[in-house]
Structure formats: structure tokens, C-alpha cells
Amino acid sequence: MTDLKSIAQQIGEEISKAGVQKAHYTVAAKETREFNVDGGEFSLFRTLFDNSLSITAYKDDKKGSISTNSFDKEAITAAVTNCIQSAEAAIEDPAYDIAPKQESKVFEEGSYEPDVDKLFARTKELMETIRERHPKILMEQMVVQHVKEHKLYRNTNGTEFEILSGSYSIELMFSGHDGDATTSFFGSYVATDNLDRPFIELGSVEKDLCDVEAQLHTVPLEGKFEGIAVLTPGSLTSFLYSAMANFASDIAILDKTSIWMDKLGEKVAADCLTLSLAPLDERICCGERYTSDGFLSENFDIIQNGVLRSYLLSLYVANKSGYAPAKNTSYAAVIEGGDTAYEDMIKGIKKGIIVGRFSGGAPSSNGDFSGVAKNSFLIEDGQIKGAVSETMINGNLADILKNIVAISKETVADGTSVLPYIAVSGVTISGK
């Protein structure tokens, strides 16, 4: 194992000699075991080794950053020198800072050592199960991994965090085929810290496969109407992240383009919505344990019962804006299940659409979006009528958060987030 502490010690000594007032740095060694499946057959097994070193230094309120993948003493010396030179050439800004001293900790997360034989067996089992249950699915590519990482963080205030983590993941890319009928590609992803359950039972893998098979024979949607969109956990993820980027991120607050500017403590969403970033939740696989600024990570609510509670700010933008920094810098989104069963949610919709995936450009600064609803199904009179092709949806990110009509009891936990199905009104749905 690479001696990360001796590398960090060298960095710290050279930073101190150079007269740097504040700095933080991370040294990491990663080992990846990977199976690849292409066209339904095993095509590759490999082990990858990656080293990484990142340094951020502040000298006279000027910032310099550098990254390298070499742990040679000469390379480390050069990295420190280049980082400091970068800082000396930068623009002075007193808002730059690092976290004060935190309690030093060692975190041991997940399965640090892989069970390669069981990983292969679970992968083979998944392939056989898909062939048996979903004969119309062509597995274009399957990437199955175990990632083992040893990471060490230090800053000049005396904080040290050490992480030894190991996690498994599967990433699937597949399509449906039935004679001349084919579907577009669709993907499914799951991260887990153990191999106790078959992969097909994790996340939304089974449902994703079923939905793609159901997409083989689509019908065009006629006309245009305003209705209810049911966002699956997969499509909900993209809408949530777009909303957070537009309304709560560093750039949105620093540039004052956010429509949530100065709205902490005010209603910005429906009463039923509580959105948390919760990397410490047991359903999140090897979640963040410290922030990029050097604070110990904590779970927190962005929105609580419809009320805006926090922005997603770095320490720098927090110092510039006067708001508090975010208590974690993960994207481990958690929305707990609501009080409506998914089946009942569908039964209550007169006319609408289930959005499996959204394909569109970046929303405008006020949240307006427009794009194609992919892998989607028409709802009429409380029933799923079938898959629709190339259907457009238009709306506003801020409005859909306010116009939530139901949150499903069911949630999908894929190791990176925990999300339900959410039905929102006021979405314009248009076909031919």
C-alpha cells in the first residue's frame, strides 16, 4: 500500500517552507476491479491503479490549485512550487479561506477488500436473469466494478481525515429488440457496499428493463395539452439537480441570478416536499464524510416542508455573500416516500405522462425548460395507455416544485440517492 502519510508530510513541509498561510491537500490511491460485458458476453476483466494528488494553497489572499497523478518526490516538489506560483499570480480576494481545525477522523466505509469470485457470480447471475425474464432486451454494455480507495486529507489548521472505502457498482446500457422494432438506449446504475442481494433486485434495474421492453411498440401523441407529469426517480434526479444549479448553487447566488435570492425561510415548494442532501444516510453507499473545504459533512435539508432552508454554497461564496456554507458538498439527494401508493397516483390522473427520461438543453436562469420526454408513457383516465414516441414537455423548474400533487410511498435507493415518484401539474405536453 502506498504510504499516503509520508507523501502528505512532504507536501506539508514544503508548503510551510514556502510561507503559505493556508492550504489543504488530498492524496489518494485507488484500485478498480472491473468486469465488462459487451453484446451480452464477457469481454474484459481488468484491474486499474490510480494515484491522485491535489493541492490548494492561499498566499496573501490569493489562490492557487494544482493536481497530479505522480507520487515521486520530485513531482511533488514541482506540484507544490507550481501551486504557489499560481497563487502568487492570482487576484487577491480576502474571501478565500479553509475550514478551522476539525476533529481528525478515520472513516472505514463499505467493503474495502473485494470478493471477486462473488462479484463475478453476481454478474453472471444478472446476465442469466435478464436473458430469462427479459428476452427482448439486448445488453449493449455492462460495467461491473469494485472500487477500493485510500484517501488522506490535511489542511494547515491541523485537520486530518483518512478514508478507507470500498464499493461495488453496476452500470447497464441496453435497448429493446423485437423483430424490426427497436428502442433507444436506456441506462440503469446502482452502487452498493455488499453483494448480499442479486443485482436485479437493486435500485430500479428490474423496472427499467420492463419499461424498455414496453417501449418497443410506441404510438405518437396527438395534440397538445396541459397535464400532470409523473417524474420517475431517474428523471426526477435531473430536474432536481437542474433546479439546485439554477436557484441554490455558488454561481446562482454569487451572480445573483437565482429566483430564490434572499428567500431563506420562505415557501418555494409544496408543503409535502422535503429535500435533503444526506450522505450519512445508511442507504447512501460510501457517502461523503468531509466537504471540499475541510468541514465534517452533516446531513441537511435544502427544502423542509416547502420552505427553503439552505443554499448549496462553498465556503468562498458563503464568505462573499454572507450566507452559511452548505453542511455537505455531496449530491446525495433524499426525498422520503409520501402517502400515496404509485398505483393510486396513476389512478388519480385524468390525463398526463410518465417521464422516464428527459432530454433537453439547460434550463434558463428563471427555470424554464423544454425538451423531449424519453422512455415515457401516456396516462388517460387513471390508466397507463402505452408508450409514446418523441413527446415534448415544457414547464418551469420552480413551478413544478410548487405544483406537486402527489409523492409516492415507494422510493428507489440506488446507492447515490433515495427518491420517490412525484406527480406535478402545470406541465405542457405536446405531440404531433
Side-chain angles (χ1 to χ4, degrees):
M1 180 182 291
T2 304
D3 186 356
L4 301 188
K5 292 202 173 185
S6 66
I7 296 169
Q9 184 69 25
Q10 181 188 346
I11 296 170
E13 289 173 356
E14 297 201 16
I15 283 175
S16 179
K17 289 177 185 177
V20 171
Q21 292 92 358
K22 300 175 183 177
H24 56 85
Y25 40 97
T26 300
V27 188
K30 184 165 68 174
E31 179 180 317
T32 302
R33 308 286 183 92
E34 179 179 292
F35 293 110
N36 281 9
V37 175
D38 291 287
E41 302 293 335
F42 281 101
S43 61
L44 178 69
F45 173 65
R46 61 181 178 178
T47 303
L48 304 172
F49 299 91
D50 296 294
N51 295 330
S52 62
L53 165 64
S54 62
I55 307 169
T56 298
Y58 303 100
K59 187 174 183 181
D60 301 325
D61 291 330
K62 298 177 181 180
K63 176 183 176 182
S65 295
I66 198 165
S67 297
T68 182
N69 59 6
S70 176
F71 287 168
D72 293 340
K73 287 188 176 182
E74 295 78 9
I76 293 171
T77 298
V80 173
T81 300
N82 291 336
C83 182
I84 294 170
Q85 289 176 346
S86 175
E88 290 171 341
I91 298 173
E92 181 180 343
D93 192 329
Y96 289 129
D97 206 352
I98 60 174
K101 180 176 174 58
Q102 307 284 289
E103 180 186 355
S104 294
K105 287 183 175 290
V106 177
F107 301 98
E108 297 183 15
E109 306 293 332
S111 302
Y112 189 61
E113 296 294 343
D115 186 336
V116 177
D117 290 341
K118 192 169 184 179
L119 180 61
F120 179 79
R122 284 296 191 205
T123 303
K124 186 178 178 182
E125 174 188 55
L126 176 61
M127 293 169 60
E128 292 172 350
T129 304
I130 291 173
R131 290 192 188 107
E132 178 184 340
R133 296 186 192 176
H134 305 283
K136 296 177 182 179
I137 290 294
L138 175 61
M139 188 57 58
E140 308 284 351
Q141 187 174 59
M142 179 189 302
V143 179
V144 183
Q145 294 184 333
H146 177 273
V147 177
K148 167 184 172 180
E149 187 168 30
H150 184 198
K151 184 185 295 185
L152 185 71
Y153 169 95
R154 286 182 179 175
N155 71 21
T156 50
N157 285 335
T159 298
E160 178 178 290
F161 299 134
E162 186 174 8
I163 294 179
L164 296 99
S165 66
S167 63
Y168 301 94
S169 68
I170 57 169
E171 185 171 4
L172 310 178
M173 185 62 66
F174 50 90
S175 56
H177 295 260
D178 185 16
D180 293 333
T182 62
T183 71
S184 60
F185 295 133
F186 195 77
S188 195
Y189 176 85
V190 174
T192 180
D193 59 10
N194 64 75
L195 297 173
D196 296 343
R197 296 168 57 196
F199 285 145
I200 199 148
E201 297 179 3
L202 303 180
S204 60
V205 174
E206 179 80 271
K207 190 170 191 313
D208 291 340
L209 292 164
C210 291
D211 285 351
V212 167
E213 282 186 312
Q215 283 284 327
L216 275 164
H217 303 285
T218 62
V219 295
L221 181 68
E222 301 291 339
K224 179 178 180 179
F225 64 96
E226 184 176 292
I228 291 177
V230 176
L231 305 179
T232 65
S235 64
L236 177 60
T237 299
S238 63
F239 283 101
L240 287 177
Y241 291 169
S242 292
M244 297 307 101
N246 272 39
F247 308 144
S249 68
D250 271 354
I251 293 175
I253 300 304
L254 193 60
D255 293 346
K256 298 185 178 181
T257 59
S258 170
I259 63 173
W260 289 353
M261 200 75 196
D262 300 323
K263 288 192 176 181
L264 290 178
E266 297 183 21
K267 288 289 294 294
V268 296
D271 292 345
C272 59
L273 181 67
T274 294
L275 168 62
S276 308
L277 291 186
L280 307 186
D281 189 292
E282 63 180 8
R283 295 165 293 182
I284 302 300
C285 178
C286 297
E288 177 191 278
R289 291 300 182 262
Y290 62 87
T291 74
S292 55
D293 291 312
F295 292 93
L296 283 165
S297 297
E298 301 177 46
N299 296 341
F300 73 98
D301 295 334
I302 303 170
I303 296 170
Q304 182 184 53
N305 300 127
V307 176
L308 181 64
R309 294 301 185 191
S310 178
Y311 297 124
L312 308 180
L313 303 185
S314 65
L315 180 59
Y316 171 73
V317 176
N319 289 341
K320 295 285 283 187
S321 65
Y323 295 114
K327 293 183 178 180
N328 71 69
T329 49
S330 76
Y331 277 93
V334 173
I335 298 176
E336 300 294 353
D339 55 8
T340 305
Y342 176 69
E343 184 178 340
D344 293 334
M345 177 188 290
I346 300 301
K347 287 179 180 178
I349 296 173
K350 180 68 175 174
K351 192 169 185 179
I353 190 173
I354 301 171
V355 182
R357 179 165 61 92
F358 177 75
S359 177
S364 62
S365 60
N366 72 345
D368 288 341
F369 66 85
S370 177
V372 180
K374 298 276 192 178
N375 302 92
S376 298
F377 298 86
L378 179 65
I379 306 170
E380 284 186 329
D381 298 322
Q383 295 183 336
I384 300 174
K385 292 297 185 179
V388 291
S389 59
E390 300 306 309
T391 301
M392 295 289 296
I393 58 173
N394 303 78
N396 180 275
L397 294 171
D399 288 343
I400 66 173
L401 295 178
K402 295 175 182 176
N403 296 338
I404 296 172
V405 296
I407 296 178
S408 71
K409 291 180 179 179
E410 300 86 345
T411 60
V412 171
D414 66 1
T416 65
S417 63
V418 182
L419 296 172
Y421 296 82
I422 291 185
V424 298
S425 63
V427 177
T428 301
I429 303 162
S430 55
K432 291 187 176 180

